[in-house]
Amino acid sequence: MNIGAVAEASELPTKTVRYYADIGLVTPSGRSSSGYRVYGKSELRKLIFVRRARSFGFSVEECRELLGLYADRDRSSRDVKRLAVQRIEEIENKMRELQSLHDELSHLANTCHGDDRPDCPIISGLAS
Amino acid sequence: MNIGAVAEASELPTKTVRYYADIGLVTPSGRSSSGYRVYGKSELRKLIFVRRARSFGFSVEECRELLGLYADRDRSSRDVKRLAVQRIEEIENKMRELQSLHDELSHLANTCHGDDRPDCPIISGLAS
DNA sequence: ATAAGGTTTCCACTTACTGGAAGGTCAAGG
DNA sequence: CCTTGACCTTCCAGTAAGTGGAAACCTTAT
């Protein structure tokens, strides 16, 4: 598989696949005679894994760690669970923050008449 | 006020205040004879405004726009409300995403025994 | 043979700062 | 008067995770 094919199969932009190769996160299995990156099934699986893990909010470095655990099936699941639980807590914090942001902002927006008058509770709310 | 004072008063890092000056978001009212940035009450108000708007998720460029509206009290509140409503929708989208992320991830974490056994549903869940 | 499209490398740009180095300034204490 | 320490200046570099573009090479089809 060339980079375009593996990019499509993994649902990642070509640029991103190349970037992952550059940073050594998922390296191609080899190069063609003309220098094209060549990927196999196992790299494809890793790329899909990374895409999903990234969408779960794992950082690239965490993906690297996860990929290490993934590759080494002798590792305990404890390490993996630790990472996941940490992520869950971060997500919960982020959601709480967003909730209060949302509440404050919609309160302001609701009290704003949104017409041509210059008075705006959003502006004064932010300023106060 | 020197930069340290205005930074403390606005609850922003000095570096950030300097950065805002560099990008022309909040420029000091002048410079002292020795080249120190000098800030007045009006700049302090703007910095506080920006800090709050940033904490609401407005980008720096949106802050610039907001600051323009803020400065020009003849502007209608429609423009401001438009920005705010847009932000609220983005926040709601983000929260929905986070919610499904959270649900999926906690499902995986809950089914993971988290012991020394190498089998891990999180890993296989991400891989599938 | 040529055109289209895929691939290569390299470099710059993005967001919103943050850290650090080298050096100038200011106020207080000895 | 001198020094010390806190504060200030500019400039350079780096962060995360890519994205965009340019110039040139490769492959495939017509």
Side-chain angles (χ1 to χ4, degrees), chain B:
Chain B
M1 275 167 139
N2 282 347
I3 199 166
V6 83
E8 190 175 12
S10 64
E11 295 172 67
L12 282 169
T14 309
K15 278 273 190 187
T16 301
V17 176
R18 204 173 280 124
Y19 171 71
Y20 287 162
D22 286 351
I23 63 172
L25 183 64
V26 180
T27 50
S29 49
R31 294 279 183 145
S32 76
S33 57
S34 55
Y36 285 18
R37 288 173 184 80
V38 174
Y39 291 88
K41 280 232 184 304
S42 132
E43 287 74 39
L44 173 57
R45 246 178 293 125
K46 285 183 187 174
L47 285 169
I48 293 171
F49 178 92
V50 168
R51 178 177 51 73
R52 285 184 50 81
R54 290 280 304 121
S55 86
F56 272 77
F58 290 92
S59 75
V60 165
E61 286 317 303
E62 283 169 335
C63 286
R64 205 188 290 275
E65 194 174 347
L66 245 15
L67 227 38
L69 302 170
Y70 179 50
D72 182 358
R73 298 320 237 83
D74 291 340
R75 277 292 195 40
S76 75
S77 62
R78 206 192 310 269
D79 298 342
V80 180
K81 185 160 186 170
R82 181 180 43 76
L83 274 182
V85 166
Q86 213 172 300
R87 283 272 87 211
I88 289 170
E89 280 167 14
E90 283 169 27
I91 288 170
E92 285 171 354
N93 283 339
K94 195 124 215 162
M95 280 173 58
R96 267 191 294 277
E97 268 178 54
L98 279 179
Q99 187 62 59
S100 73
L101 234 67
H102 178 268
D103 292 350
E104 253 190 279
L105 207 49
S106 20
H107 171 70
L108 292 177
N110 284 337
T111 53
C112 175
H113 33 71
D115 57 14
D116 289 324
R117 280 172 291 172
D119 282 347
C120 176
I122 299 173
I123 284 290
S124 17
L126 288 172
S128 70

Side-chain angles (χ1 to χ4, degrees), chain A residues 89-105, chain B residues 54-57 91 95 98:
Chain A
E89 280 166 16
E90 283 168 28
I91 288 170
E92 285 171 354
N93 283 339
K94 195 123 217 167
M95 278 173 58
R96 267 192 292 277
E97 268 179 53
L98 279 179
Q99 186 64 58
S100 72
L101 234 66
H102 177 268
D103 292 350
E104 253 189 277
L105 207 47
Chain B
R54 290 280 304 121
S55 86
F56 272 77
I91 288 170
M95 280 173 58
L98 279 179

Side-chain angles (χ1 to χ4, degrees), chain A residues 34-101:
Chain A
S34 56
Y36 284 19
R37 287 172 185 81
V38 173
Y39 291 88
K41 281 232 184 303
S42 132
E43 287 75 38
L44 172 57
R45 246 177 292 127
K46 285 183 188 174
L47 285 169
I48 293 171
F49 178 92
V50 168
R51 177 178 52 73
R52 287 184 49 81
R54 289 282 301 124
S55 87
F56 272 77
F58 290 93
S59 75
V60 165
E61 284 319 302
E62 284 168 334
C63 286
R64 205 188 289 275
E65 195 174 347
L66 244 16
L67 227 38
L69 301 171
Y70 179 50
D72 182 0
R73 299 320 238 80
D74 291 339
R75 277 291 197 39
S76 76
S77 62
R78 205 192 311 269
D79 298 340
V80 181
K81 185 160 186 169
R82 181 181 43 76
L83 276 181
V85 165
Q86 214 172 300
R87 282 272 87 210
I88 288 170
E89 280 166 16
E90 283 168 28
I91 288 170
E92 285 171 354
N93 283 339
K94 195 123 217 167
M95 278 173 58
R96 267 192 292 277
E97 268 179 53
L98 279 179
Q99 186 64 58
S100 72
L101 234 66

